[in-house]
Amino acid sequence: MAHGGDRWQPLVKEIRIYIEGGGDLKNQKTMLRQGFSNFFKPLIDKARTRKIKWNITMCGKRDAAHRDFHNACNSHPDAFNLLLVDSEEPVDATPMEHLNKRDGWSLGLSEEHYRLMVQTMESWLIADIDALKQFYGQGFQESAIPKNNNVEQIDKSELKKSLEKASQNS
């Protein structure tokens, strides 16, 4: 916080988050942005009480998220820009090291600007079997979903196959 006269002012006036996902269609991105807005709501509310702007951008594909984030660092240099992408594989390093090693991305900001989600978004889906059963309804084969509570340990290809099998009759 910086001192401004008689009041303390926040150093950050705007937070911009660039997130992988949402598909290629505008309505898909809108729906996922709404979901992330709900997820981040307590933080958004807190930021707004401090007069900090908040922006969530769903970028679609992984490389598009990186490109949009990189562009934002140039076009919005006074904002706190954050990149949020799937890890795509197990992580054994800092987010910056992981992204540089895995994707070959040259990342010029400090570590606090880079965050990783699960290996793949589908991991979040199987973490809530009851929601999946409700969404897919009759014909959903719960037995096809791996019984591992640590969804991060489930291989991406196994996860995709199990979701396809579980939902094939619904």
Side-chain angles (χ1 to χ4, degrees):
M1 303 278 271
H3 193 288
D6 291 329
R7 296 181 13 192
W8 287 94
Q9 301 294 321
L11 293 174
V12 173
K13 304 254 187 234
E14 182 178 19
I15 298 170
R16 303 177 67 84
I17 303 178
Y18 295 85
I19 305 174
E20 172 187 5
D24 296 324
L25 302 176
K26 186 176 181 178
N27 69 329
Q28 292 172 320
K29 289 180 182 176
T30 298
M31 290 173 50
L32 193 53
R33 184 175 47 255
Q34 290 170 346
F36 272 104
S37 292
N38 281 339
F39 179 73
F40 287 126
K41 186 173 181 356
L43 295 174
I44 294 170
D45 291 345
K46 190 171 189 173
R48 288 189 175 148
T49 64
R50 293 181 166 92
K51 306 225 183 309
I52 299 172
K53 295 178 186 175
W54 189 281
N55 180 283
I56 295 174
T57 301
M58 299 309 307
C59 301
K61 293 183 172 39
R62 180 180 191 78
D63 286 331
H66 177 247
R67 180 200 65 226
D68 292 351
F69 169 76
H70 180 75
N71 290 340
C73 291
N74 292 321
S75 60
H76 302 282
D78 294 332
F80 179 80
N81 295 297
L82 181 80
L83 177 65
L84 181 60
V85 295
D86 289 341
S87 66
E88 299 294 336
E89 59 189 37
V91 177
D92 61 0
T94 69
M96 282 180 69
E97 293 167 340
H98 179 80
L99 294 170
N100 183 278
K101 180 177 140 186
R102 187 196 176 280
D103 298 286
W105 291 348
S106 177
L107 306 169
L109 299 177
S110 61
E111 190 73 45
E112 66 187 359
H113 294 272
Y114 308 97
R115 293 291 180 259
L116 300 173
M117 295 186 280
V118 293
Q119 290 185 51
T120 182
M121 188 70 109
E122 289 79 5
S123 296
W124 288 355
L125 298 176
I126 68 160
D128 190 347
I129 296 293
D130 291 336
L132 276 177
K133 289 191 298 190
Q134 182 179 1
F135 179 80
Y136 283 106
Q138 190 173 3
F140 181 74
Q141 297 175 17
E142 180 179 351
S143 61
I145 303 295
K147 301 293 184 244
N148 186 342
N149 287 335
N150 188 346
V151 296
E152 279 293 287
Q153 293 179 347
I154 302 169
D155 182 76
K156 285 181 4 176
S157 61
E158 179 187 350
L159 184 60
K160 183 178 179 188
K161 288 176 193 172
S162 67
L163 281 168
E164 287 172 351
K165 184 175 180 182
S167 62
Q168 71 185 358
N169 296 324
S170 58

